[in-house]
Amino acid sequence: MGPGLIEILLLSLLFLTAMAMLAVGVAWGIRWGLKWVLKDISRDPEIKENLKRIFNQSEE
């Protein structure tokens, strides 16, 4: 005999919960990674100067 209605509902709920947790984890990882990269860039004067030069070219 196959799985009953309760088992299917519980598995669906478990799957949806796992997907939601995965989405939150990925979003949190992207946020943490961007924060880390921006902190690293802000501490490097050479990168800051290159970025200023690149973005100021469009105004000329």
Side-chain angles (χ1 to χ4, degrees), residues 22-56:
L22 179 66
V24 168
V26 168
W28 184 78
I30 290 171
R31 180 178 177 237
W32 181 83
L34 288 175
K35 186 177 177 182
W36 177 77
V37 165
L38 289 174
K39 277 185 177 180
D40 201 32
I41 287 173
S42 69
R43 291 183 186 147
D44 190 349
E46 184 179 344
I47 293 176
K48 283 171 56 175
E49 289 301 318
N50 287 336
L51 288 174
K52 283 181 187 176
R53 184 173 41 87
I54 289 169
F55 287 118
N56 286 336

Side-chain angles (χ1 to χ4, degrees), residues 12-23:
S12 298
L13 183 62
L14 178 65
F15 177 76
L16 291 174
T17 303
M19 290 297 108
M21 290 175 66
L22 179 66

Side-chain angles (χ1 to χ4, degrees), residues 3-18:
L5 181 62
I6 298 297
E7 287 88 3
I8 292 173
L9 289 175
L10 286 175
L11 284 175
S12 298
L13 183 62
L14 178 65
F15 177 76
L16 291 174
T17 303

